[in-house]
Amino acid sequence: RVWLVASGMVPLSPHQIETRVWLAEHAFLARDLKYESNTDLTLQLFLPQQPILPELPADVDQAATVTFGDLIRLDGYNIGEPLTPESSTPVTLYWQPLEKIERRYKYILRLISVAEDGSTRELAITEQEPYHGSLPTIWWAPGPEIFEYSGLPPVAFDSPRSSLRLAIQMYDAETLEKLPITRVSGGATLVDEFTAWLPFER
């Protein structure tokens, strides 16, 4: 992954302009951020290639699958280690479009702590379009596997790892209507018709 950082206060040099043009032509723009401040800072995240694979990699840590509305299937996921206690927890999601999708969908990923008495506590939440809209679901088509670098905000892991779960939902970005879950496998636990709980293991 390549981060390109620029300040609106400083004109780009010819070399920087050439670098930006080359990245735009040869890499995938995964995220485009702008911070309006005294420096007018912009950050762009590029991947060296499109985040599309011909099939699910064999080394995916969690092969639990969740099918949303017979449109999109989560085929698996990886959970990484935060770089520091103050860093976010990396989560890589592997999506499989099951048919041509005509709507833009977002997902909600929550980290849930489950107590012995069954009560739950939300520790962290991420809500976004895939790649923050750089690769919306309306561009997806059946066949290839789409992997996404996502993550959860920093959290203090003061609960036993065995009591933690990932909860995931998908919904229409315009109407906010949730996609019902039609299938769950691989150890995932269905909470309701819209939410699946997944193992939180690394």
Side-chain angles (χ1 to χ4, degrees), residues 128-166:
Q128 64 188 45
E129 255 189 301
Y131 282 109
H132 299 272
S134 294
L135 191 61
T137 54
I138 55 173
W139 293 358
W140 295 10
E145 199 83 26
I146 298 167
F147 65 93
E148 179 182 8
Y149 295 120
S150 186
L152 291 163
V155 60
F157 291 101
D158 55 358
S159 302
R161 189 60 53 86
S162 60
S163 71
L164 299 178
R165 298 290 183 273
L166 285 179

Side-chain angles (χ1 to χ4, degrees), residues 150-183:
S150 186
L152 291 163
V155 60
F157 291 101
D158 55 358
S159 302
R161 189 60 53 86
S162 60
S163 71
L164 299 178
R165 298 290 183 273
L166 285 179
I168 189 166
Q169 297 177 329
M170 293 200 81
Y171 67 92
D172 189 301
E174 182 178 348
T175 67
L176 306 184
E177 182 179 358
K178 294 178 181 178
L179 279 175
I181 294 174
T182 52
R183 294 180 186 85

Side-chain angles (χ1 to χ4, degrees), residues 4-200:
L4 184 65
V5 183
S7 171
M9 303 293 291
V10 181
L12 294 177
S13 68
H15 175 70
Q16 290 172 322
I17 294 174
E18 182 180 345
T19 300
R20 176 171 286 183
V21 171
W22 189 92
L23 286 170
E25 293 177 350
H26 296 87
F28 172 74
L29 178 60
R31 199 163 183 188
D32 194 355
L33 302 174
K34 184 174 182 179
Y35 297 93
E36 296 183 358
S37 63
N38 293 336
T39 58
D40 197 20
L41 194 67
T42 61
L43 291 85
Q44 293 178 306
L45 172 61
F46 290 90
L47 303 181
Q49 59 186 11
Q50 295 279 337
I52 297 173
L53 299 170
E55 59 186 12
L56 185 69
D59 61 351
V60 173
D61 294 336
Q62 300 295 329
T65 63
V66 182
T67 304
F68 297 92
D70 290 329
L71 288 175
I72 301 169
R73 186 176 66 228
L74 177 69
D75 276 348
Y77 57 97
N78 292 336
I79 300 173
E81 293 286 348
L83 291 176
T84 70
E86 293 76 29
S87 300
S88 57
T89 299
V91 180
T92 304
L93 304 170
Y94 292 88
W95 302 106
Q96 173 61 248
L98 302 178
E99 61 180 71
K100 183 69 176 70
I101 301 172
E102 299 180 351
R103 306 287 299 179
R104 297 179 77 131
Y105 290 101
K106 293 184 175 182
Y107 64 88
I108 305 174
L109 191 65
R110 293 182 173 91
L111 180 60
I112 305 293
S113 175
V114 183
E116 291 185 359
D117 62 2
S119 61
T120 61
R121 180 166 57 103
E122 182 180 293
L123 302 179
I125 181 171
T126 292
E127 183 174 356
Q128 64 188 45
E129 255 189 301
Y131 282 109
H132 299 272
S134 294
L135 191 61
T137 54
I138 55 173
W139 293 358
W140 295 10
E145 199 83 26
I146 298 167
F147 65 93
E148 179 182 8
Y149 295 120
S150 186
L152 291 163
V155 60
F157 291 101
D158 55 358
S159 302
R161 189 60 53 86
S162 60
S163 71
L164 299 178
R165 298 290 183 273
L166 285 179
I168 189 166
Q169 297 177 329
M170 293 200 81
Y171 67 92
D172 189 301
E174 182 178 348
T175 67
L176 306 184
E177 182 179 358
K178 294 178 181 178
L179 279 175
I181 294 174
T182 52
R183 294 180 186 85
V184 182
S185 65
T189 302
L190 185 65
V191 176
D192 55 34
E193 63 176 317
F194 303 111
T195 309
W197 280 12
L198 306 172
F200 186 83

